[in-house]
Structure formats: C-alpha cells, structure tokens
Amino acid sequence: MLTCSPACQGGLTIELRCWEYKYRQACFARRQQRIAVSLELRKAKKDEQALKRRNITNVSPDPADQQTKGDSLTLQEIISGVNASDPELCFQATQAARKMLSREKNPPLKLIVDAGLIPRLVELLKSSLHPRLQFEAAWALTNIASGATELTRAVVDGGAIQPLVELLSSPHMTVCEQAVWALGNIAGDGPEFRDNVISSDAIPHLLTLVSSSIPVPFLRNIAWTLSNLCRNKNPYPSDHAVKQMLPALFYLLGHPDKEVLSDTCWALSYLTDGCDARIGQVVDTGVLPRLVELMSSSELNVLTPSLRTVGNIVTGTDHQTQLALDAGILSVLPQLLTHPRSSIQKEAAWALSNVAAGPRQHIQQLIACGALPPLVAVLKNGEFKVQKEAVWTVANFTTGGSVDQLIQLVQAGVLEPLINLLTIPDNKIVIIILDVLFFILQAAEKISQKENMCLLIEGLGGLDRIEALQLHENHQVALTALNIIERHFSEEEETVTALPARDQDHKFLKDLTNTYHCCTTPKPGPRP
C-alpha cells in the first residue's frame, strides 16, 4: 500500500506568510498552498462528471419484445409475475418493472424496492438459460442503483454485486454491457460500495472487455465504470486496484471517441488528486504527452478533465512538475488563459500557480513561454474567480523568484492590476497582494532601486490604497499594510523627487533592469 503524507490526507489551511518569514518557510507555504487550492477546486467541481446514470433508452435485445403484454400490468401483477416460475410470465413482468423504472420523469424506484423485488431480481441474474431475463433484471437493478444511497444500498444488500460481476463474462454482449452499467452505478455511490465492487474481483473481468473490437457505446460504459472505480479518496481505491486499472486507462487514452477520452481523463484526475506517490503512479505510465495533447482539444468534456489531471500532477514534486514541463504544458497553458470559458481560465491559472511554486528554473520557463502577458490580462479583466488564481500565481512567483525574475514580472505590467484589486472585499487576497508588493519593494531595495519602485507604486495610486488599508477592520490586513508603510514609505525616507509620469514607467523599468544587471550584489541562494 502507498503511504500518503498527512498533508494529502486532509485539507490544510494555508496561512499567508508574513514578510519576515525566512526563505525555507516560504517554500513550505507554497507547497502547502498547492494542496489547499487543489482541495478547493475539487470541491467546486465535484459534480462535473455524472456519478450515476439511469438507462432510459427504450431498447431490448430482441425487437419483438418492444410491445408485450407486460406493458399494461399493474404493480401487483408485476410482483406476482416476477416471482412466477413460468419463465415467459416472469420475463414479461420483469420487463414491465424495468419499463416503469426507465420513465424519464419520476420513476418509482422506491416503490419497486419497497415491494421487495430486489432479492428476486438478483436471483434472475443467475438465469443463464434465459439471457433476455438476465438483461431485464440487470437493467432494472441498474436503474434502482442510480437512485439515492439508500436505494443503492438495497441493491448491494440484496447481493447483486457478485452475480453482476459474473455477468461480465456472459457470452451475450447486451447482458454483459448492462452488468457493466449496473456496477458503475454501484461504484459511483461512494468509496464503500466502490470497494465492495473491487473486492468482488470486478476489475480483471472489466479489463478483459477492453479491446479494439468492442463497440464504442459499450466501451464508453466501461470507461465510465472504471472512472467510478477510481473516484473518491476517503479512502482512495487500493494500490493494487489502481495498478490493475492504469494500463487499461493508458490504452483508452489513445482512443478517438470523445466520451471514452473524457471518462478516462476523469479517472486519471481522480487518481492524481492525492499525494506524490499516487501522482507518481500515473506519471510513470507515460500519459503526460497525450494529456498535454488533449489540453488543446476543442471538446470541453475532454479539455476540462485533461487540464484537471495535469493541474493535479504539477501539485506534486518538483521532478513531477518538470516532467509535465518537458511534456509541453507551457505551450498550452498560456493560451488557455484566454479561453472563452472562465472555468478553463481558472484551472489554467491554478496550474500555472503550481508551476510558479516550484524552483526558479520552473519560474524561468514560465517567463520564457510567454505566460506573463496573458496572466496580467486576466488580472486586469478576468472574472474574479480567475483573478484570484492569477494572484496566487503572482504570489508564488514573487516568493520564489530571483530579483531578475521579479523585475521581469514588474515589466510585464503586474503592478497596476494588483493595486486595483486592493479594494476587493476578499481579505485573504488583499493580504496576498500586499505581501507581493512587499516582496517587489524588497527586491528593488536589493539593487538600490527602492525609491524608484516606491514612486512607481505611488504613481499608480498604490500608496493611497495601502494607507487606507491601515484602517481596515481586518487586523491582519491593517497590520500588513502598516508594515509596508513603515518599512518602505516612512517620512524619513521621503525625498523631493518628483513622481515619474505614466509614460516614463517603461523607461524607468528599462533603467531598473540595466541597473540590476550591472549590480554586484549577489543573487539570493537557491531555495532549500
């Protein structure tokens, strides 16, 4: 079994680092922020993929069965018929029950359960001489299991899992596919029933069905069921189960069908939503190049989970993040910051924040790929949920970057949108921005350019806003603002130097860069 660190087993509240923190503490804080933001995104997106699916299609393995006498049966007649010894009468009643359960609106799931039909339906799954009956019973149980947890529990407690697993070996494809669907609904209810399905040896049977000759609709059901077997992390699926499924998921990731791809990517996103060891299991299969390719998909249901998976991977170790960088994620992420959907922009910014939380060589790659201009653009004009992730990216960048890298960040125009965001009603983000400004001023101080940086911030209206925040009702906001004023804008340090005009900003930044490169002050050492 893999052993996960306490950090990945629970949500950690990331406290903002104060300006006096040492470099080592900053590194730790950035690593923990990766996990905290990951948890927040997971909660926000937990309903994006269907947990359960009810089969409401009016199909049957035999077209002659579309209209039967069972269509007009009452509930009492269905109960009597399902329990009858005559196979034909039993079939008609079971099919009638299935049709009731397949109504698009208000299917009587609980009514059928309360009628005590589940034990008999489970028994009918074993009627190998009557595959049509097996199919109808499996379909009825599939739809019952699509309901609330208490209904799924009734199916599980009725003993349905083992006979459904055995039907995965049925020579009749329609029966086999319906069993896959039923098991997917059971596994999708939560970790308890997921593990019940896994312990019944369902995975090896499912994997034998994955082949190039299987019809695409059937393969979609298999991919979806596998994704539900990967889902949930309290607890995670067993290490053995994950190792069983990963080769099949790698194979399915190469399939052209968008629904197969979508569910496969969701499965990988669940498996990477954890500690470094679990991320490593997925990365070691070699999926990263294909995931990066899928991040350019025009299909939102493929783009979203592939981006999610890559975002999870870069919450891992610096080595795992480097593998993602080597696979080309930075050729895609900056473009996704301009995606028409704000949800994609948000996840792209979140992924970039994880890259920025790495060592300086990762930050340099982020600069080199041209990520700063679109990052500044979303800080200026993005929806607030995207701006928040962009602020985290800048914060991680500022905390871990070199003086030279911070200068390039300022040159990209980050100060103006950050200062404008100081008026938002989110205290946590305001504190982060104040810390960013403090780090930038600290960097300017190291190259004897603090006065010019102060003038630039003041010219953008930053000084007025920071001064106003000293009176903020939130104590931490007020204290952080006070620290900046006392350290960098105190009266003792004021001079009669005129403020630079806005059209002189670029010249000032150019001079600042030249000054830095000529400066003999050594750069800070590498992060521990």
Side-chain angles (χ1 to χ4, degrees):
M1 287 288 287
L2 291 171
T3 302
C4 297
S5 67
C8 68
Q9 293 173 346
L12 297 182
T13 302
I14 308 306
E15 297 295 336
L16 297 169
R17 70 187 299 281
C18 296
W19 61 269
E20 70 271 11
Y21 270 26
K22 294 183 179 179
Y23 215 39
R24 182 182 300 274
Q25 291 170 305
C27 178
F28 176 78
R30 287 195 302 279
R31 285 280 296 155
Q32 300 312 305
Q33 187 264 327
R34 294 183 184 194
I35 299 169
V37 176
S38 172
L39 292 174
E40 182 180 341
L41 283 170
R42 296 300 76 74
K43 292 174 184 176
K45 299 287 184 178
K46 64 182 179 180
D47 295 325
E48 282 190 0
Q49 190 204 26
L51 287 167
K52 300 183 180 182
R53 297 171 175 171
R54 191 162 56 90
N55 189 350
I56 59 174
T57 308
N58 188 23
V59 298
S60 173
D62 184 350
D65 293 329
Q66 294 297 315
Q67 297 296 327
T68 68
K69 294 179 181 178
D71 287 346
S72 58
L73 294 180
T74 65
L75 177 60
Q76 191 56 50
E77 289 171 332
I78 288 173
I79 295 172
S80 299
V82 167
N83 288 286
S85 57
D86 179 1
E88 185 58 31
L89 180 58
C90 184
F91 168 77
Q92 290 180 6
T94 304
Q95 187 180 66
R98 180 268 295 174
K99 289 183 177 181
M100 289 178 66
L101 295 168
S102 301
R103 292 176 190 167
E104 189 167 357
K105 293 183 179 181
N106 303 318
L109 306 182
K110 191 173 186 304
L111 189 65
I112 295 296
V113 172
D114 291 343
L117 287 180
I118 285 181
R120 177 59 172 164
L121 291 172
V122 170
E123 185 180 344
L124 296 177
L125 294 175
K126 306 171 187 177
S127 304
S128 57
L129 297 178
H130 305 282
R132 295 188 309 161
L133 192 51
Q134 288 178 309
F135 173 79
E136 295 292 349
W139 189 344
L141 290 168
T142 297
N143 287 357
I144 294 172
S146 73
T149 295
E150 60 267 22
L151 300 177
T152 309
R153 184 174 296 280
V155 173
V156 173
D157 291 347
I161 291 180
Q162 194 58 53
L164 285 169
V165 170
E166 292 171 6
L167 287 183
L168 297 179
S169 302
S170 171
H172 305 280
M173 185 173 294
T174 52
V175 174
C176 182
E177 181 176 3
Q178 197 58 57
V180 170
W181 195 332
L183 290 168
N185 275 346
I186 293 170
D189 190 85
E192 178 188 354
F193 296 154
R194 175 205 66 198
D195 289 345
N196 287 346
V197 173
I198 291 173
S199 64
S200 297
D201 210 29
I203 292 175
H205 290 81
L206 280 169
L207 299 184
T208 60
L209 300 173
V210 178
S211 71
S212 57
S213 60
I214 192 171
V216 171
F218 192 175
L219 194 61
R220 289 171 181 167
N221 266 335
I222 294 172
W224 173 73
T225 296
L226 286 173
S227 76
N228 274 352
L229 291 172
C230 295
R231 196 172 193 137
N232 292 302
K233 59 180 186 179
N234 290 311
Y236 283 94
S238 69
D239 183 28
H240 177 66
V242 172
K243 288 179 177 178
Q244 284 182 306
M245 290 185 283
L246 277 173
L249 294 173
F250 179 83
Y251 170 80
L252 291 172
L253 203 62
H255 199 276
D257 182 73
K258 65 181 181 181
E259 292 186 35
V260 171
L261 286 173
S262 178
D263 284 318
T264 303
C265 287
W266 278 118
L268 294 173
S269 78
Y270 304 143
L271 295 180
T272 52
D273 183 14
C275 60
D276 297 344
R278 295 190 178 277
I279 293 172
Q281 279 188 308
V282 174
V283 170
D284 290 346
T285 65
V287 297
L288 267 169
R290 177 59 171 161
L291 286 170
V292 172
E293 181 182 348
L294 295 175
M295 285 167 60
S296 298
S297 174
S298 59
E299 299 290 342
L300 192 64
N301 67 339
V302 175
L303 166 58
T304 299
S306 60
L307 174 57
R308 173 72 57 77
T309 304
V310 172
N312 286 344
I313 289 171
V314 295
T315 67
T317 65
D318 289 340
H319 174 67
Q320 290 163 346
T321 300
Q322 186 61 56
L323 291 175
L325 295 174
D326 293 343
I329 62 167
L330 290 181
S331 65
V332 185
L333 286 177
Q335 301 170 24
L336 295 179
L337 288 176
T338 63
H339 194 277
R341 286 194 175 251
S342 60
S343 60
I344 297 298
Q345 295 175 18
K346 177 180 178 180
E347 295 239 6
W350 170 66
L352 284 171
S353 76
N354 291 327
V355 175
R360 288 175 181 172
Q361 58 264 34
H362 291 176
I363 293 175
Q364 193 57 44
Q365 287 180 262
L366 189 151
I367 295 170
C369 77
L372 294 186
L375 186 67
V376 171
V378 297
L379 277 172
K380 287 181 178 179
N381 305 314
E383 291 186 18
F384 182 58
K385 64 181 181 180
V386 184
Q387 290 176 316
K388 287 175 66 174
E389 296 301 330
V391 167
W392 272 112
T393 304
V394 172
N396 288 343
F397 186 115
T398 307
T399 308
S402 66
V403 173
D404 190 28
Q405 289 168 338
L406 265 63
I407 289 171
Q408 293 180 71
L409 182 66
V410 173
Q411 285 180 311
V414 76
L415 286 177
E416 183 176 4
L418 287 179
I419 289 169
N420 290 338
L421 287 170
L422 285 174
T423 59
I424 61 173
D426 187 319
N427 294 338
K428 184 176 182 180
I429 296 299
V430 169
I431 294 169
I432 294 173
I433 294 171
L434 290 172
D435 277 348
V436 167
L437 295 175
F438 188 95
F439 273 105
I440 290 173
L441 286 163
Q442 224 176 13
E445 188 174 32
K446 289 179 181 179
I447 56 173
S448 303
Q449 289 293 321
K450 188 180 83 168
E451 181 182 346
N452 286 331
M453 188 64 73
C454 287
L455 293 172
L456 179 57
I457 290 173
E458 186 174 357
L460 293 169
L463 179 55
D464 290 341
R465 293 186 178 182
I466 296 170
E467 286 179 333
L469 289 174
Q470 294 178 100
L471 303 176
H472 198 278
E473 60 183 11
N474 180 278
H475 177 71
Q476 193 172 2
V477 171
L479 182 60
T480 308
L482 176 63
N483 283 335
I484 294 176
I485 296 298
E486 290 185 343
R487 175 69 184 273
H488 297 293
F489 291 95
S490 63
E491 291 182 3
E492 290 78 5
E493 297 185 23
E494 287 184 358
T495 70
V496 294
T497 306
L499 289 175
R502 293 297 296 276
D503 58 0
Q504 293 177 322
D505 289 353
H506 179 71
K507 180 179 183 302
F508 157 64
L509 290 170
K510 183 178 179 181
D511 293 341
L512 181 63
T513 305
N514 292 336
T515 301
Y516 169 73
H517 285 304
C518 297
C519 185
T520 57
T521 304
K523 295 182 182 180
R527 288 184 297 136

